[in-house]
Protein backbone atom coordinates (compact mmCIF):
# COMPACT_ATOMS: atom_id res chain seq x y z
CA UNK A 1 0.00 0.00 0.00
CA UNK A 2 1.07 3.55 -0.69
CA UNK A 3 1.10 6.16 2.06
CA UNK A 4 2.07 9.82 2.06
CA UNK A 5 2.76 11.77 5.24
CA UNK A 6 3.07 15.52 5.65
CA UNK A 7 4.15 16.26 9.21
CA UNK A 8 3.62 20.04 9.15
CA UNK A 9 -0.09 20.94 9.30
CA UNK A 10 0.64 24.66 9.13
CA UNK A 11 3.56 26.94 8.30
CA UNK A 12 3.95 30.69 8.14
CA UNK A 13 6.79 32.80 6.75
CA UNK A 14 7.44 36.38 5.72
CA UNK A 15 7.31 37.43 2.10
CA UNK A 16 10.62 36.90 0.23
CA UNK A 17 11.80 34.22 2.68
CA UNK A 18 12.56 30.65 1.70
CA UNK A 19 10.38 27.87 3.08
CA UNK A 20 10.64 24.09 2.94
CA UNK A 21 7.66 21.75 3.19
CA UNK A 22 8.30 18.17 4.25
CA UNK A 23 6.87 14.97 2.84
CA UNK A 24 7.65 11.32 3.37
CA UNK A 25 6.11 8.44 1.48
CA UNK A 26 6.07 4.71 1.44
CA UNK A 27 5.57 2.48 -1.56
CA UNK A 28 6.54 -1.00 -2.63
CA UNK A 29 6.54 -0.07 -6.29
CA UNK A 30 9.75 0.42 -8.22
CA UNK A 31 8.28 2.80 -10.78
CA UNK A 32 6.39 5.79 -9.43
CA UNK A 33 6.02 9.55 -9.64
CA UNK A 34 5.89 12.19 -6.93
CA UNK A 35 4.04 15.48 -7.11
CA UNK A 36 3.41 18.65 -5.20
CA UNK A 37 0.02 20.25 -5.77
CA UNK A 38 -1.09 23.69 -4.61
CA UNK A 39 -4.66 24.43 -3.58
CA UNK A 40 -5.29 28.17 -3.13
CA UNK A 41 -8.48 29.55 -1.54
CA UNK A 42 -10.28 29.04 -4.87
CA UNK A 43 -9.78 25.29 -4.18
CA UNK A 44 -8.49 24.61 -7.68
CA UNK A 45 -5.75 21.96 -7.51
CA UNK A 46 -2.69 23.18 -9.40
CA UNK A 47 0.31 21.02 -10.21
CA UNK A 48 3.45 22.70 -8.88
CA UNK A 49 6.19 20.20 -9.65
CA UNK A 50 6.72 16.54 -10.51
CA UNK A 51 9.54 14.09 -9.98
CA UNK A 52 10.08 10.75 -11.68
CA UNK A 53 11.41 8.25 -9.17
CA UNK A 54 13.97 6.86 -11.61
CA UNK A 55 15.59 10.28 -12.04
CA UNK A 56 18.27 11.21 -9.53
CA UNK A 57 18.28 14.88 -10.48
CA UNK A 58 15.96 17.02 -8.38
CA UNK A 59 13.17 18.73 -10.30
CA UNK A 60 13.05 22.53 -10.47
CA UNK A 61 10.33 24.90 -11.69
CA UNK A 62 11.30 28.55 -11.33
CA UNK A 63 11.12 29.35 -7.59
CA UNK A 64 10.05 25.81 -6.70
CA UNK A 65 12.47 22.93 -6.25
CA UNK A 66 12.43 19.56 -4.58
CA UNK A 67 14.88 17.56 -2.51
CA UNK A 68 14.23 13.96 -3.48
CA UNK A 69 15.93 11.41 -1.23
CA UNK A 70 14.85 8.06 -2.64
CA UNK A 71 16.48 5.83 -0.04
CA UNK A 72 14.94 7.83 2.78
CA UNK A 73 11.61 8.10 0.88
CA UNK A 74 11.61 11.83 1.40
CA UNK A 75 10.33 14.46 -1.02
CA UNK A 76 10.46 18.02 0.31
CA UNK A 77 9.42 21.18 -1.54
CA UNK A 78 11.46 24.37 -1.31
CA UNK A 79 9.88 27.68 -2.24
CA UNK A 80 12.40 30.47 -2.75
CA UNK A 81 11.63 34.19 -2.63
CA UNK A 82 8.12 33.43 -1.37
CA UNK A 83 5.27 35.62 -2.60
CA UNK A 84 1.85 36.45 -1.20
CA UNK A 85 0.30 34.40 -4.00
CA UNK A 86 2.02 31.30 -2.67
CA UNK A 87 -0.44 31.26 0.24
CA UNK A 88 -2.31 27.96 -0.16
CA UNK A 89 -2.66 24.37 0.95
CA UNK A 90 0.13 22.24 -0.44
CA UNK A 91 -0.34 18.53 -1.01
CA UNK A 92 2.34 15.96 -1.60
CA UNK A 93 1.21 12.98 -3.69
CA UNK A 94 2.59 9.66 -4.85
CA UNK A 95 1.49 8.08 -8.14
CA UNK A 96 1.84 4.33 -8.32
CA UNK A 97 0.55 1.82 -10.83
CA UNK A 98 -2.93 1.87 -9.34
CA UNK A 99 -3.63 5.35 -8.05
CA UNK A 100 -2.54 8.77 -6.86
CA UNK A 101 -2.30 8.99 -3.07
CA UNK A 102 -2.33 12.35 -1.29
CA UNK A 103 -0.94 13.49 2.01
CA UNK A 104 -3.04 15.47 4.49
CA UNK A 105 -1.65 18.80 3.33
CA UNK A 106 0.32 21.72 4.76
CA UNK A 107 -1.36 25.10 5.07
CA UNK A 108 1.23 27.71 4.08
CA UNK A 109 0.70 31.38 4.83
CA UNK A 110 2.96 34.06 3.38
CA UNK A 111 2.84 37.24 5.47
CA UNK A 112 3.53 40.71 4.04
CA UNK B 1 -8.85 26.61 -24.45
CA UNK B 2 -8.46 23.04 -23.29
CA UNK B 3 -9.48 22.17 -19.79
CA UNK B 4 -11.75 20.40 -17.34
CA UNK B 5 -15.11 21.80 -16.38
CA UNK B 6 -17.31 20.78 -13.48
CA UNK B 7 -20.86 21.83 -12.88
CA UNK B 8 -22.52 23.06 -10.87
CA UNK B 9 -20.07 24.90 -8.61
CA UNK B 10 -22.43 24.62 -5.64
CA UNK B 11 -25.10 21.95 -5.20
CA UNK B 12 -27.65 21.44 -2.49
CA UNK B 13 -29.46 18.18 -1.93
CA UNK B 14 -32.15 17.00 0.40
CA UNK B 15 -31.57 13.81 2.29
CA UNK B 16 -32.76 10.77 0.35
CA UNK B 17 -32.21 12.31 -3.07
CA UNK B 18 -29.76 11.22 -5.72
CA UNK B 19 -27.72 13.95 -7.40
CA UNK B 20 -25.37 13.92 -10.40
CA UNK B 21 -22.18 15.96 -10.67
CA UNK B 22 -20.92 16.76 -14.14
CA UNK B 23 -17.31 16.53 -15.34
CA UNK B 24 -16.26 17.30 -18.92
CA UNK B 25 -12.80 17.52 -20.45
CA UNK B 26 -11.65 18.60 -23.92
CA UNK B 27 -8.01 17.59 -23.43
CA UNK B 28 -8.44 14.28 -25.29
CA UNK B 29 -7.37 12.47 -22.13
CA UNK B 30 -8.07 8.76 -21.82
CA UNK B 31 -8.24 8.56 -18.02
CA UNK B 32 -10.60 10.39 -15.68
CA UNK B 33 -11.01 10.38 -11.90
CA UNK B 34 -13.30 11.50 -9.10
CA UNK B 35 -12.02 12.55 -5.68
CA UNK B 36 -13.68 13.64 -2.47
CA UNK B 37 -12.13 16.23 -0.15
CA UNK B 38 -13.32 16.79 3.40
CA UNK B 39 -12.32 19.85 5.47
CA UNK B 40 -8.67 19.82 6.47
CA UNK B 41 -7.98 16.59 4.65
CA UNK B 42 -6.36 15.37 1.48
CA UNK B 43 -8.15 13.89 -1.50
CA UNK B 44 -9.60 10.40 -1.50
CA UNK B 45 -10.29 8.46 -4.70
CA UNK B 46 -13.91 7.52 -5.38
CA UNK B 47 -13.82 6.07 -8.91
CA UNK B 48 -11.55 6.14 -11.91
CA UNK B 49 -11.81 5.28 -15.59
CA UNK B 50 -8.86 4.35 -17.76
CA UNK B 51 -10.81 4.25 -21.03
CA UNK B 52 -14.33 4.70 -22.35
CA UNK B 53 -16.88 2.15 -21.11
CA UNK B 54 -14.59 1.06 -18.30
CA UNK B 55 -14.34 2.24 -14.70
CA UNK B 56 -13.00 0.95 -11.40
CA UNK B 57 -13.81 1.56 -7.75
CA UNK B 58 -11.44 3.62 -5.69
CA UNK B 59 -11.04 3.69 -1.92
CA UNK B 60 -14.45 5.12 -1.03
CA UNK B 61 -16.85 4.01 -3.79
CA UNK B 62 -19.77 3.00 -1.55
CA UNK B 63 -22.80 5.21 -2.16
CA UNK B 64 -21.47 6.53 -5.48
CA UNK B 65 -21.88 5.48 -9.10
CA UNK B 66 -20.31 6.60 -12.39
CA UNK B 67 -20.56 6.08 -16.13
CA UNK B 68 -18.10 6.63 -18.97
CA UNK B 69 -20.06 6.51 -22.20
CA UNK B 70 -18.01 9.23 -23.89
CA UNK B 71 -14.33 10.01 -23.67
CA UNK B 72 -15.03 13.61 -22.70
CA UNK B 73 -17.51 12.96 -19.90
CA UNK B 74 -17.38 11.19 -16.53
CA UNK B 75 -20.45 12.04 -14.42
CA UNK B 76 -20.64 11.08 -10.75
CA UNK B 77 -23.94 10.22 -9.06
CA UNK B 78 -24.15 10.57 -5.31
CA UNK B 79 -26.90 8.21 -4.21
CA UNK B 80 -29.04 8.21 -1.11
CA UNK B 81 -26.91 5.30 0.13
CA UNK B 82 -24.00 7.69 0.73
CA UNK B 83 -24.38 8.46 4.45
CA UNK B 84 -22.30 11.60 4.65
CA UNK B 85 -22.18 13.19 1.19
CA UNK B 86 -21.46 16.79 2.20
CA UNK B 87 -17.97 17.45 0.79
CA UNK B 88 -15.97 19.06 -1.99
CA UNK B 89 -15.76 16.89 -5.12
CA UNK B 90 -12.92 17.16 -7.61
CA UNK B 91 -12.72 15.62 -11.06
CA UNK B 92 -9.38 15.05 -12.77
CA UNK B 93 -8.03 13.64 -16.02
CA UNK B 94 -4.73 12.41 -17.37
CA UNK B 95 -3.57 11.64 -20.88
CA UNK B 96 -3.21 8.01 -19.88
CA UNK B 97 -3.44 6.17 -16.62
CA UNK B 98 -0.28 6.65 -14.54
CA UNK B 99 0.38 10.12 -15.97
CA UNK B 100 0.08 13.38 -14.11
CA UNK B 101 -3.46 14.45 -13.38
CA UNK B 102 -5.07 17.80 -14.07
CA UNK B 103 -8.00 18.94 -11.98
CA UNK B 104 -11.27 20.71 -12.54
CA UNK B 105 -12.49 23.57 -10.32
CA UNK B 106 -14.62 21.31 -8.11
CA UNK B 107 -18.22 21.08 -6.91
CA UNK B 108 -19.27 21.82 -3.35
CA UNK B 109 -22.14 19.48 -2.37
CA UNK B 110 -24.19 20.23 0.72
CA UNK B 111 -26.92 17.97 2.06
CA UNK B 112 -29.70 19.89 3.78
Amino acid sequence: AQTVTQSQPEMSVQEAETVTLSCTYDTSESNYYLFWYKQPPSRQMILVIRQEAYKQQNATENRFSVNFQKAAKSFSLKISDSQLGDTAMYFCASQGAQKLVFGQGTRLTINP
Amino acid sequence: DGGITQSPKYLFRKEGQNVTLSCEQNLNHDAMYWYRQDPGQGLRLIYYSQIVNDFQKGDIAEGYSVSREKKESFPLTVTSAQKNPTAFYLCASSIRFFNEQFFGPGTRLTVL
Side-chain angles (χ1 to χ4, degrees), chain A residues 49-68:
Chain A
I49 200 165
R50 61 175 276 172
Q51 173 81 44
E52 290 89 343
Y54 63 86
K55 288 186 177 180
Q56 292 186 330
Q57 186 174 2
N58 290 323
T60 299
E61 288 288 342
N62 300 315
R63 296 184 295 109
F64 299 87
S65 61
V66 298
N67 183 5
F68 175 44

Side-chain angles (χ1 to χ4, degrees), chain B residues 62-75:
Chain B
E62 184 176 352
Y64 301 97
S65 66
V66 294
S67 63
R68 187 85 188 277
E69 297 176 359
K70 297 188 299 182
K71 188 175 185 178
E72 308 80 38
S73 179
F74 191 41

